[in-house]
């Protein structure tokens, strides 16, 4: 943070009594009237739109935004969120409204790694890959924080660290992770957020990590984050996480000891109630005045950087007219289109409008607003459900028939009815139609954060990757009519759609698709838009995941999983075709030409992967100055290959573009068993194409990646 903001913060905190300073490191900081400082609530959310404070633009859920593989668009979305957040803050404070979710400190993005497909909060992340998560996280943070004299909003990277389920036991769970996985996977995106995006805040996780509570970890917070990376923003606990330290983790005996442990670990702001006891901890001699004031200075540096104590902040004039604009709505719609992933198409798509007289829209997510919103969402004034999208997209005169088909998860829709009380209607509607669009999936009441869902038996996590049983029966009943079926899946996570893919003519992953999600997917189905998203997570077969509480990366994500998958990371179909050629590789980067060889304008995502540990590299020998290299380098515990570049391009039919991927030493670094990141001499294999270089992607697309080598 700039020196002037730190000096401003210190001046303000120096003018406070100790008790006043202690009150300002609570998330619900009270007013200090004698100093003219108003109350401020730190807790606000902006995961995929300004959340929980009324009307705002609702973008697709974060996992959907990740499937765009588009840094530039994500930064634009971050900027819109920051604008609407500023507008809400400015208008609220004019009326003396200092409530929760009205501030300009956003506790977003969630840059945890989606390492287990069952994790309910995986929908909030950018997927399973550290590089993709890091690039998208940096772009989003830059969008939120802006490039002005002041921060437009203060972003906060969460949940630091080694956190991705299980939800049901997170308050007392100890995540055991080796140093290699911590460095290579769990903290990599946080490093990018700190070192590249200069993120204002970092939030600690609920769980312990190797015995230490994440919010007070000497290894993760004091050593890695503060000392090694030089993070000088504010560190905040997750809500009530500090109370877990004595209540569930039993690391301390009471709240006073917890206050001391947290403060000494440089936890500057407490989301929760623990720091209400800070002065009692001081009276007991557990914390010092200097420690309290230092935390308050850290917090106030952020508030100063946001322009809260100055009259010339360039964002103070943003008002209500900047919320829910036509421009932000169009951006949300385009994000929904770009995020949609076409998983299967036997040639049925896009549908020819003039040949369709009757369309059946069936399924429990067809009229759902919840599947547009995802979790941590705002409220849109412009929702277009899946059913409404189809009605808007069909040709005039086309009949649209609708049936709910089944309950989302229950055996019946009406309590007094027999089981499967909507199946006969679904069959009737299907038989009367030329084509069926079948909308299935989950919603945030089933998968999500513990406490936010009705899925109490699993704390918001899934217990299976299959569609829920009532929906599977619905699919079978509809398919049995013999009518063409297009399956659209609204979920925030990967599903085992292997059975449905065999039975249906087309399969679309629509995620939690944003306020215009229903329109976006309908436009894709009827050819008014072209799909171009790629999967940011692997779609596994059910029961192929290690135990959820096992935090080893072995057997997880495309980098370490060796089994058969339904749909691979980086995969997605288009209505067009693309050719890759003229791959050139130097030590500074790679250049590739991509051409649209199809008949429609379309987006393509070019992906570059590096094999960091090929067998021939070991035979050539490695740096001899690394002591105990044989013990520290286990070739069987290295990624098969890793994403190291991606670019989204739009191409007209016949058009080509040259794409350049820039290299840096970190891309080629190998993480040893002790967590040390080193650059090893040898030969590296490079893969470039519209997919990852795996056999399943080739089987699904018929395409190979281009290959090259570089010696470093």
């Amino acid at each position: 943070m700039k020196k002037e903001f730190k000096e401003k913060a210190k001046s303000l905190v120096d003018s406070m009594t100790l008790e006043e300073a202690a009150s300002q490191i609570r998330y619900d900081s009270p007013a200090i009237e004698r100093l003219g400082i108003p109350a401020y609530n730190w807790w606000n959310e902006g995961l995929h739109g300004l959340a929980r404070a009324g009307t705002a633009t609702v973008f697709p859920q974060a996992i959907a935004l990740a499937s765009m593989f588009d840094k530039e668009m994500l930064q634009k979305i971050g900027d819109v969120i920051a604008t609407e957040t500023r507008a809400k803050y400015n208008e609220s404070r004019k009326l003396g409204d200092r409530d929760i979710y009205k501030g300009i400190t956003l506790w977003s993005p969630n840059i945890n790694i989606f390492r287990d497909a069952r994790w309910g909060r995986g929908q909030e992340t950018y997927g399973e890959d550290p590089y993709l998560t890091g690039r998208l996280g940096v772009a989003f943070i830059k969008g939120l924080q802006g490039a002005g004299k002041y921060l437009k909003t203060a972003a906060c990277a969460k949940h630091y660290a080694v956190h991705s389920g299980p939800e049901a036991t997170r308050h007392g769970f100890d995540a055991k992770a080796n140093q290699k996985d911590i460095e290579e996977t769990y903290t990599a995106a946080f490093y990018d957020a700190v070192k590249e995006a200069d993120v204002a805040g970092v939030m600690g996780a609920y769980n312990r990590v190797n015995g230490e509570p994440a919010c007070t970890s000497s290894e993760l917070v004091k050593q890695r984050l503060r000392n090694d990376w030089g993070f000088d923003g504010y560190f905040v606990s997750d809500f009530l996480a500090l109370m877990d330290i004595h209540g569930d983790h039993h690391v301390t005996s009471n709240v006073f000891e917890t206050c001391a442990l947290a403060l000494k670990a440089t936890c500057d702001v407490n989301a929760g109630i623990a720091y209400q006891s800070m002065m009692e901890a001081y009276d007991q001699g557990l914390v010092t005045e200097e420690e309290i004031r230092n935390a308050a200075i850290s917090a106030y540096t952020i508030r100063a950087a946001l322009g809260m104590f100055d009259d010339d902040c360039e964002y103070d004039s943003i008002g209500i007219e900047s919320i829910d604009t036509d421009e932000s709505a169009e951006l949300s719609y385009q994000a929904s289109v770009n995020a949609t992933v076409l998983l299967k198409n036997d040639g049925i798509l896009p549908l020819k409008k003039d040949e369709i007289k009757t369309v059946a829209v069936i399924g429990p997510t067809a009229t759902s607003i919840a599947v547009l919103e995802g979790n941590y969402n705002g409220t849109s004034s412009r929702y277009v459900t899946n059913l409404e999208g189809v009605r808007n997209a069909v040709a005039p005169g086309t009949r649209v028939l609708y049936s709910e088909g089944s309950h989302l998860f229950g055996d019946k829709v009406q309590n007094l009815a027999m089981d499967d009380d909507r199946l006969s209607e679904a069959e009737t509607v299907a038989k009367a139609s030329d084509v069926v669009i079948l909308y299935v999936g989950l919603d945030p009441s089933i998968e999500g954060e513990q406490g936010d869902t009705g899925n109490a038996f699993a704390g918001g996590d899934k217990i299976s990757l299959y569609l829920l049983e009532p929906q599977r029966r619905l699919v079978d009943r509809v398919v049995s009519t013999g009518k063409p079926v297009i399956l659209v899946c609204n979920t925030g996570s990967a599903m085992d759609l292997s059975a449905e893919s065999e039975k249906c003519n087309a399969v679309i992953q629509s995620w939690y698709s944003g306020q215009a999600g229903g329109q976006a997917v309908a436009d894709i189905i009827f050819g008014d838009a072209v799909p171009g998203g790629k999967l940011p997570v692997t779609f596994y077969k059910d029961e192929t995941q290690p135990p959820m509480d096992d935090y080893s990366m072995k057997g997880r994500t495309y980098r370490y999983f060796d089994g058969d998958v339904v749909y691979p990371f980086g995969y997605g179909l288009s209505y067009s075709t693309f050719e890759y050629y003229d791959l050139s590789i130097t030590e500074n980067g790679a250049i590739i030409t991509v051409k649209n060889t199809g008949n429609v304008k379309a987006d393509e995502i070019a992906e570059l992967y590096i094999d960091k540990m090929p067998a021939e590299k070991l035979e050539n020998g490695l740096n001899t100055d690394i002591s105990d290299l044989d013990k520290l380098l286990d070739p069987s515990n290295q990624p098969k290959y890793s994403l190291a570049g991606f670019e989204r391009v739009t191409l007209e039919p016949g058009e080509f573009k040259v794409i350049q991927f820039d290299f840096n030493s970190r891309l080629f670094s190998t993480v040893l068993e002790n967590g040390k990141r080193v650059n090893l001499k040898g030969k590296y294999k490079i893969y470039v194409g519209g997919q990852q270089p795996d056999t399943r992607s080739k089987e699904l697309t018929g395409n190979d990646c281009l290959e090259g080598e570089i010696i470093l």
Side-chain angles (χ1 to χ4, degrees):
M1 291 295 157
K2 296 178 182 177
K3 183 179 179 181
E4 63 183 284
F5 299 139
K6 294 180 180 179
E7 292 176 347
K8 182 79 170 182
K10 187 176 187 307
S11 175
L12 286 167
V13 173
D14 284 349
S15 65
M16 299 176 190
T17 66
L18 182 58
E19 188 170 9
E20 288 170 339
S23 74
Q24 298 303 294
I25 57 177
R26 292 163 29 192
Y27 84 101
D28 51 347
S29 303
I32 305 177
E33 294 182 3
R34 70 179 187 86
L35 298 178
I37 297 173
Y40 183 70
N41 195 299
W42 286 75
W43 189 348
N44 205 353
E45 303 285 354
L47 184 65
H48 57 111
L50 175 62
R52 299 177 174 178
T55 303
T57 305
V58 177
F59 293 93
Q61 178 59 285
I63 192 67
L65 297 177
S67 69
M68 299 190 306
F69 282 69
D70 192 332
K71 301 179 286 290
E72 290 74 20
M73 181 171 277
L74 197 57
Q75 185 163 341
K76 290 179 182 178
I77 289 170
D79 180 65
V80 169
I81 295 170
T83 296
E84 295 195 346
T85 302
R86 271 285 178 175
K88 192 78 70 173
Y89 169 75
N90 289 340
E91 299 290 8
S92 297
R93 64 183 177 140
K94 288 177 187 176
L95 302 176
D97 184 355
R98 302 281 180 171
D99 200 3
I100 193 172
Y101 310 130
K102 307 285 178 66
I104 45 179
T105 42
L106 294 173
W107 290 349
S108 302
N110 182 339
I111 54 173
N112 291 135
I113 296 300
F114 198 176
R115 68 183 179 94
D116 193 302
R118 295 162 294 191
W119 185 36
R121 297 194 74 180
Q123 63 178 282
E124 302 173 28
T125 76
Y126 297 134
E128 69 183 40
D129 182 74
Y131 178 82
L132 177 65
T133 300
R135 295 300 85 214
L136 297 182
V138 166
F140 189 68
I141 290 165
K142 287 183 175 180
L144 291 182
Q145 297 192 164
K149 174 184 176 181
Y150 297 97
L151 294 175
K152 195 170 187 180
T153 61
C156 180
K158 64 183 185 185
H159 308 84
Y160 187 77
V162 196
H163 174 68
S164 48
E167 286 294 297
T169 59
R170 64 182 183 171
H171 296 284
F173 177 69
D174 187 8
K176 300 289 188 182
N178 62 48
Q179 290 301 312
K180 177 180 184 297
D181 289 341
I182 290 175
E183 169 67 22
E184 180 183 78
T185 299
Y186 292 117
T187 64
F190 288 96
Y191 174 89
D192 293 341
V194 171
K195 302 296 284 187
E196 290 189 54
D198 195 19
V199 68
V202 172
M203 175 182 284
Y206 284 112
N207 51 278
R208 278 172 289 155
V209 180
N210 297 329
E212 287 191 299
C215 288
T216 60
S217 170
S218 58
E219 191 278 320
L220 287 174
V221 181
K222 293 195 72 173
Q223 184 58 48
R224 188 181 296 261
L225 181 65
R226 295 291 195 184
N227 295 341
D228 296 347
W229 299 350
F231 174 66
D232 67 348
Y234 82 102
F235 190 91
V236 58
S237 68
D238 207 340
F239 189 65
L240 295 176
L242 295 189
M243 301 301 286
D244 293 340
I245 293 176
H246 53 275
D248 291 281
H249 296 303
H250 306 295
V251 170
T252 57
S253 299
N254 53 53
V255 67
F256 312 116
E257 292 181 1
T258 294
C259 285
L261 184 66
L263 206 59
K264 294 177 190 304
T266 71
C267 181
D268 302 308
V269 176
N270 169 221
I273 58 175
Y275 278 12
Q276 293 177 9
S277 301
M278 185 61 73
M279 287 306 296
E280 292 168 272
Y282 171 78
D283 291 339
Q284 294 179 26
L286 298 175
V287 299
T288 66
E289 177 172 350
E290 182 181 19
E291 289 168 338
I292 293 173
R293 290 193 180 276
N294 283 344
I297 290 170
S298 182
Y300 262 62
T301 298
I302 302 301
R303 293 181 64 173
L306 287 161
M308 290 186 181
F309 310 120
D310 296 330
D311 297 325
D312 62 344
C313 179
E314 64 260 49
Y315 306 118
D316 284 349
S317 61
I318 299 174
I320 189 67
E321 70 282 352
S322 297
I323 296 175
D324 186 30
T325 66
D326 290 345
E327 292 77 14
S328 65
E330 175 59 28
L331 184 63
S332 179
Y333 165 78
Q334 195 58 54
S336 297
V337 170
N338 292 359
T340 302
V341 185
L342 180 59
L343 298 176
K344 177 187 177 181
N345 183 17
D346 69 358
I348 192 174
L349 295 178
L351 295 178
K352 296 179 176 61
K353 293 185 183 183
D354 57 355
E355 297 179 3
I356 304 295
K357 302 304 179 185
T358 306
V359 178
V361 173
I362 300 173
T365 64
T367 61
S368 169
I369 288 178
V371 301
L372 307 180
E373 293 177 328
N375 71 354
Y376 283 92
N377 60 284
T379 302
S380 174
S381 70
R382 308 177 188 228
Y383 292 116
V384 182
T385 66
N386 289 320
L387 174 58
E388 290 171 320
V390 173
R391 291 196 188 280
N392 294 337
V394 296
T398 301
R399 183 70 195 277
V400 178
L401 303 177
Y402 165 68
S403 172
E404 187 175 358
S406 75
H407 193 274
L408 191 67
F409 57 86
D411 288 327
K412 64 189 73 175
V413 174
Q414 293 295 325
N415 291 336
L416 297 180
M418 299 174 66
D419 288 355
D420 296 328
D421 57 332
R422 291 293 183 267
L423 283 188
S424 62
E425 180 189 53
E427 181 179 349
T428 300
V429 166
K431 286 180 176 179
S433 302
D434 300 315
V435 64
V436 178
I437 308 175
L438 183 54
Y439 291 94
V440 297
L442 307 172
D443 75 15
S445 72
I446 301 173
E447 65 169 347
E449 184 174 7
Q450 181 197 42
D452 287 348
T453 66
N455 181 11
F457 59 87
D461 298 326
K462 294 183 297 190
I463 59 174
S464 168
L465 302 186
Y466 292 128
L467 288 177
L468 297 167
E469 186 61 33
Q471 296 184 49
R472 295 167 70 188
R473 295 196 295 268
L474 172 62
V475 172
D476 288 342
R477 187 72 167 261
V478 170
V479 169
S480 72
T481 66
K483 294 301 178 77
V485 177
I486 299 159
L487 187 87
V488 179
C489 186
N490 286 109
T491 65
S493 54
M495 307 293 290
D496 182 348
L497 299 174
S498 51
E500 291 74 23
S501 296
E502 288 290 327
K503 299 170 185 175
C504 299
N505 299 83
V507 178
I508 295 172
Q509 179 65 25
S510 189
W511 310 106
Y512 297 137
S513 53
Q515 64 184 39
Q519 192 62 58
V521 74
D523 286 348
I524 286 172
I525 289 171
F526 287 96
D528 294 321
V530 178
K534 302 287 180 82
L535 293 179
V537 290
T538 302
F539 275 43
Y540 303 95
K541 295 181 179 179
D542 192 50
E543 298 184 350
T544 59
Q545 299 273 271
M548 196 171 184
D549 57 3
D550 180 358
Y551 268 74
S552 169
M553 288 306 297
K554 289 183 179 180
R556 295 193 184 277
T557 78
Y558 77 93
R559 296 180 302 139
Y560 286 100
F561 185 75
D562 291 322
D564 296 330
V565 303
V566 183
Y567 294 113
F569 173 92
Y571 164 76
L573 300 174
S574 175
Y575 291 160
S576 194
T577 56
F578 302 91
E579 179 185 354
Y580 287 75
Y581 56 93
D582 290 345
L583 174 61
S584 173
I585 300 173
T586 71
E587 63 180 15
N588 296 320
I591 297 175
I592 188 77
T593 302
V594 184
K595 182 178 181 179
N596 183 346
T597 55
N599 299 318
V600 297
K601 178 182 178 180
D603 285 6
E604 170 67 336
I605 298 166
E607 305 169 32
L608 181 145
Y609 295 83
I610 296 176
D611 184 344
K612 300 182 181 181
M613 189 53 59
E616 62 266 25
K617 184 169 161 226
L618 295 177
E619 295 170 3
N620 290 339
L622 301 168
N623 292 7
T624 57
D625 58 342
I626 302 175
S627 60
D628 298 325
L629 182 61
D630 291 339
K631 297 179 181 178
L632 295 176
L633 181 62
D634 178 3
S636 68
N637 192 30
Q638 290 292 331
K640 294 178 292 185
Y641 42 77
S642 298
L643 183 70
F646 61 91
E647 291 294 334
R648 186 177 186 120
V649 294
T650 303
L651 298 170
E652 297 282 353
E655 184 183 8
F656 66 87
K657 286 186 179 178
V658 176
I659 297 175
Q660 180 168 333
F661 299 98
D662 295 327
F663 291 158
N664 60 59
S665 61
R666 190 172 174 88
L667 289 179
F668 290 91
S669 62
T670 296
V671 180
L672 304 178
E673 295 301 310
N674 63 358
K676 184 177 181 181
R677 191 179 288 270
V678 297
N679 287 89
L680 305 175
K681 296 177 182 178
K683 185 182 293 183
Y684 295 81
K685 184 168 283 189
I686 309 293
Y687 306 91
V688 184
Q691 61 198 52
Q692 61 162 298
D694 65 309
T695 56
R696 179 60 174 157
S697 293
K698 181 179 179 180
E699 177 185 328
L700 289 166
T701 66
N703 298 325
D704 278 318
C705 289
L706 296 184
E707 298 182 13
E709 292 181 338
I710 182 172
I711 297 176
L712 297 176

